[in-house]
Amino acid sequence: MRPLSVAANLTANTLTSVFTCPIGYYAKIVLIRAVNKTASNKYISLDWTDTSASTTYSISYQQQVTSLTTNFDFGESYLVLEEGDILKATSEASSTFTIIATIELEGLTRL
């Protein structure tokens, strides 16, 4: 297991790739923080693109994050991405958000 953290400053109202699981690994996302740096409450959405199924799933849709605070915590649960899968985020128009994710990478065992 190789722990790492990734971050992205989001462009408001634009779908942004935060993390793509590298080939030869799977990724266990154990923590996501959405930091709202705007002086008012704003919404954010998180998506997971499953490239093997060519499908995008909503992890959280337009979740409100209070002004100048953080939100999103998987608590005791986590999300697993396979190689090529992508974690994406979209923030509300006129917002300023940073996304921070802590991930555990594990090499795949191929038979």
Side-chain angles (χ1 to χ4, degrees):
M1 186 234 0
R2 178 179 159 228
L4 71 127
S5 291
V6 297
N9 290 316
L10 303 181
T11 300
N13 201 32
T14 302
L15 184 63
T16 303
S17 294
V18 177
F19 174 77
T20 301
C21 186
I23 301 300
Y25 291 89
Y26 71 86
K28 179 179 175 182
I29 299 176
V30 295
L31 175 76
I32 295 178
R33 294 277 192 225
V35 182
N36 177 4
K37 298 182 282 186
T38 312
S40 60
N41 298 348
K42 294 292 180 178
Y43 295 93
I44 189 164
S45 299
L46 293 176
D47 295 305
W48 158 40
T49 298
D50 181 349
T51 56
S52 65
S54 299
T55 304
T56 297
Y57 302 97
S58 181
I59 298 169
S60 178
Y61 181 72
Q62 292 187 350
Q63 183 169 346
Q64 183 176 343
V65 180
T66 307
S67 172
L68 306 173
T69 64
T70 62
N71 204 352
F72 291 115
D73 190 344
F74 286 136
E76 297 297 317
S77 63
Y78 54 87
L79 176 67
V80 175
L81 304 182
E82 295 177 335
E83 56 185 1
D85 288 358
I86 308 166
L87 173 65
K88 299 177 180 180
T90 307
S91 61
E92 182 179 353
S94 301
S95 66
T96 305
F97 269 92
T98 297
I99 294 289
I100 301 166
T102 299
I103 299 159
E104 296 174 355
L105 282 179
E106 189 73 36
L108 294 174
T109 303
R110 305 220 189 253
L111 300 175

